[in-house]
Amino acid sequence: MKKNRLITYGSIIVPPILIYLVMLGAIIIPILNESFFSAYTLAILIGLIAGIVPFLVASIHLKLVRDEKITIREYVVGEIRNNGIRYFVGSFLVQVFIFLWALLFTIPGIIKQYSYAMTPYIMKDDATIRPIDAITESRRMMNGHKKSLFFLFLTYALPPALLYILVLTVTIIGTAFLPDGAYEGGTAIFISLAALVMFIVAVVGPLILAIRNIPRYNVAAALFYEEIHGESHYVVEETQPEWDEEF
């Protein structure tokens, strides 16, 4: 259990660090070498890493909720070696479809994001399914369930956001109502320290809540997939048009 918890938290800490290091290299290496090829290669690498991260996270949490054995080597190396290309293609197609729907308006793009949310889990469950078919099946599976997943997301996303907004609002209002002479003498030092504390709380507080809530949401999303996946076996051919979906 302790090892699973370590893997769960590692799944939200390791991928951003890898992406950050690659992005840092994409900035530094071209400056040192003055090579456009280096920047272009690293840009592709960033896209590959960023694209498969949600699929890797979904994959490991699906194994966690099924109480399957997980090793660090399997998570870092095995999934990328076995399914990296499939995950990248699936992620690329999902992002393209969401972008195209978002061109109509922001709300359709958000709705489609939830329509395609089960794609990583479907591709993990079926190693033979094509990415485009997994997207179609995700859309069918999420018909009538998008609202539930949206509220599930809000359950974990709202506390960090509300804490940040609350602290920021209190800081702005408190600063706005200070008297004119408040920034002189010893009072200025006190106000500066108070502002520094509020800033730290506004940054660190939501970050701590996010680190706490993100793994829980990932587990909840995997359980959500297990629940709706058990309702019916997927049949790719029998899907309704996208414009006729239920939220």
Side-chain angles (χ1 to χ4, degrees):
M1 187 69 178
K2 183 177 181 181
K3 187 174 182 180
N4 283 353
R5 188 182 300 114
L6 178 63
I7 294 174
T8 302
Y9 280 96
S11 69
I12 66 169
I13 295 174
V14 174
I17 292 176
L18 291 176
I19 294 173
Y20 173 77
L21 291 176
V22 173
M23 292 178 66
L24 189 63
I27 296 173
I28 294 176
I29 292 178
I31 294 176
L32 297 178
N33 295 338
E34 297 182 355
S35 170
F36 172 77
F37 177 76
S38 298
Y40 182 75
T41 303
L42 286 171
I44 295 176
L45 185 59
I46 292 171
L48 287 170
I49 294 176
I52 66 176
V53 164
F55 284 72
L56 293 175
V57 171
S59 171
I60 194 171
H61 285 89
L62 192 59
K63 293 176 74 68
L64 281 172
V65 300
R66 291 174 176 174
D67 201 24
E68 298 178 7
K69 183 180 179 181
I70 303 173
T71 63
I72 299 296
R73 179 179 178 83
E74 178 184 358
Y75 174 64
V76 176
V77 180
E79 279 297 317
I80 295 178
R81 182 180 62 240
N82 297 331
N83 298 302
I85 296 178
R86 293 178 65 243
Y87 288 169
F88 173 72
V89 173
S91 174
F92 177 76
L93 291 175
V94 166
Q95 297 305 318
V96 168
F97 291 154
I98 292 175
F99 172 75
L100 293 176
W101 278 100
L103 291 178
L104 299 178
F105 197 61
T106 304
I107 294 178
I110 295 175
I111 293 176
K112 289 304 168 184
Q113 183 175 351
Y114 287 94
S115 290
Y116 308 142
M118 297 296 106
T119 302
Y121 304 100
I122 295 170
M123 293 185 66
K124 172 61 181 175
D125 263 349
D126 188 347
T128 62
I129 192 171
R130 297 184 305 167
I132 189 67
D133 291 335
I135 292 172
T136 302
E137 167 55 19
S138 175
R139 182 171 57 81
R140 188 200 64 80
M141 187 182 292
M142 288 298 292
N143 187 32
H145 295 289
K146 290 185 282 292
K147 186 186 299 182
S148 300
L149 185 59
F150 174 70
F151 286 123
L152 180 66
F153 171 76
L154 288 183
T155 302
Y156 295 94
L158 275 181
L162 290 178
L163 177 61
Y164 176 79
I165 294 173
L166 176 63
V167 175
L168 191 64
T169 302
V170 170
T171 303
I172 293 174
I173 294 176
T175 304
F177 284 93
L178 287 175
D180 294 335
Y183 295 99
E184 299 177 0
T187 308
I189 299 176
F190 173 77
I191 293 174
S192 299
L193 290 175
L196 178 61
V197 171
M198 295 296 283
F199 173 77
I200 293 174
V201 173
V203 174
V204 177
L207 180 61
I208 292 175
L209 280 177
I211 292 175
R212 174 189 179 275
N213 286 358
I214 289 175
R216 286 168 169 77
Y217 170 73
N218 289 330
V219 172
L223 291 171
F224 181 87
Y225 166 78
E226 290 284 79
E227 181 179 349
I228 64 174
H229 178 65
E231 293 180 359
S232 62
H233 296 289
Y234 51 82
V235 181
V236 175
E237 294 80 3
E238 299 179 4
T239 56
Q240 61 191 117
E242 291 205 36
W243 56 84
D244 194 31
E245 293 181 3
E246 297 180 8
F247 189 74

